[in-house]
Amino acid sequence: MTQDRFILSVFDLNLWCTVLECRFVVDDVAALGAIIDADLEEDQAFVDSYTVDADELRAINQRFGTDFRPESTGLTEFEIELEREHQRIGQGSLREVPYLVHTRYELPLMIDGRKKLARLTGGETAKAYGEDAFDVWVEKGLLHKQVIFVPIPEEHRSGLFDTSVKGYRNVYYTLKGEEWRIPAMELLWKACERGARWSENYERMEGMLFGYDDEQNDWWIEHQRARRGKTENDL
């Protein structure tokens, strides 16, 4: 019998990070899909992430023998998420990283002073995913915020779902006193847009601007190089 591993997690909507996880084995993926009403014809490999409500969680606990209790976190504003484990480890092996990366943890890392810069991307008028959570800390005076509108050339809009969209928003947050990182990051990306090939040096500069230290950047670059089978300066 084929067994697949899935992960239930509690996502704190205020700190914008995962605070509790549970890995469990699924011996019948169709049964799990039925519980959460997933369209497995559309998502045949079950690779999407799903939000689970309280009734669905009770059914999962009963059917698969889990004992996942979000109430143990003491949180009042959270979401319960479900995803297949390979989604996390297959695209970048984030669980193998020996330090906290910014993915899903960047707001608490910034509050703790360990991350210097965050970049969210939002629609032309719509807020970016997580923007409200970060804005709370702007209002508290801990973070600086800057929004940069990035126009999409008219010749590139024909491939968009909504051809009336004129661009998107890069929403940057820094610790106070670290605002210089925003124009530096913009300059880095503009260099690539102008034809410079993304390389190990660019990867390192981006990591430094986000606030990772030399040891962390060294590990990340070596890991990416080994995973992709690339040579130096050919990320």
Side-chain angles (χ1 to χ4, degrees):
M1 181 179 296
T2 301
Q3 293 185 328
D4 295 281
R5 291 190 298 182
F6 283 76
I7 294 174
L8 283 164
S9 59
V10 174
F11 190 79
D12 186 335
L13 295 173
N14 290 313
L15 280 181
W16 213 251
C17 68
T18 299
V19 296
L20 181 68
E21 291 186 332
C22 170
R23 179 190 289 113
F24 65 105
V25 173
V26 173
D27 56 10
D28 187 343
V29 173
L32 178 61
I35 289 174
I36 65 171
D37 196 26
D39 185 354
L40 296 187
E41 290 188 2
E42 182 70 23
D43 182 18
Q44 294 183 8
F46 213 129
V47 297
D48 290 338
S49 295
Y50 294 88
T51 300
V52 176
D53 64 29
D55 290 337
E56 292 167 340
L57 178 59
R58 280 192 289 270
I60 291 172
N61 281 335
Q62 182 177 4
R63 171 61 178 81
F64 298 102
T66 54
D67 187 26
F68 193 60
R69 300 178 182 274
E71 63 273 15
S72 67
T73 64
L75 298 176
T76 58
E77 296 184 63
F78 62 87
E79 287 183 348
I80 305 168
E81 299 179 344
L82 171 73
E83 62 183 330
R84 202 168 198 157
E85 186 180 37
H86 72 74
Q87 277 301 97
R88 296 236 187 132
I89 66 174
Q91 295 181 356
S93 302
L94 294 183
R95 291 177 178 275
E96 299 177 15
V97 182
Y99 55 90
L100 282 178
V101 296
H102 60 262
T103 305
R104 298 177 69 89
Y105 295 103
E106 56 191 341
L107 180 54
L109 285 173
M110 292 193 75
I111 294 171
D112 197 39
R114 290 189 284 166
K115 191 171 189 293
K116 311 300 184 183
L117 171 71
R119 181 183 65 237
L120 311 180
T121 301
E124 185 174 357
T125 57
K127 285 191 172 182
Y129 186 64
E131 189 171 346
D132 285 337
F134 278 80
D135 283 351
V136 170
W137 295 91
V138 175
E139 294 170 4
K140 290 182 178 181
L142 179 67
L143 301 181
H144 166 80
K145 177 182 181 180
Q146 183 176 344
V147 179
I148 297 177
F149 180 76
V150 182
I152 299 176
E154 188 171 354
E155 61 270 21
H156 295 160
R157 296 179 201 162
S158 59
L160 299 177
F161 178 77
D162 183 355
T163 56
S164 67
V165 172
K166 294 181 173 59
Y168 57 92
R169 299 161 64 246
N170 274 337
V171 185
Y172 287 99
Y173 295 91
T174 69
L175 298 178
K176 288 295 184 69
E178 302 288 344
E179 294 86 351
W180 62 269
R181 295 175 184 269
I182 298 174
M185 183 67 81
E186 283 287 296
L187 186 63
L188 180 68
W189 280 99
K190 284 182 180 178
C192 290
E193 291 172 0
R194 299 271 180 172
R197 182 171 57 89
W198 190 260
S199 67
E200 177 179 301
N201 291 330
Y202 281 100
E203 189 90 4
R204 183 177 297 278
M205 283 189 285
E206 183 185 51
M208 292 171 68
L209 289 172
F210 277 133
Y212 296 115
D213 62 32
D214 289 342
E215 184 176 350
Q216 292 168 341
N217 283 321
D218 288 343
W219 186 95
W220 178 256
I221 289 173
E222 289 297 328
H223 176 72
Q224 292 296 91
R225 190 188 303 166
R227 185 177 68 86
R228 298 173 183 173
K230 302 292 186 180
T231 59
E232 187 173 356
N233 290 324
D234 192 27
L235 289 174

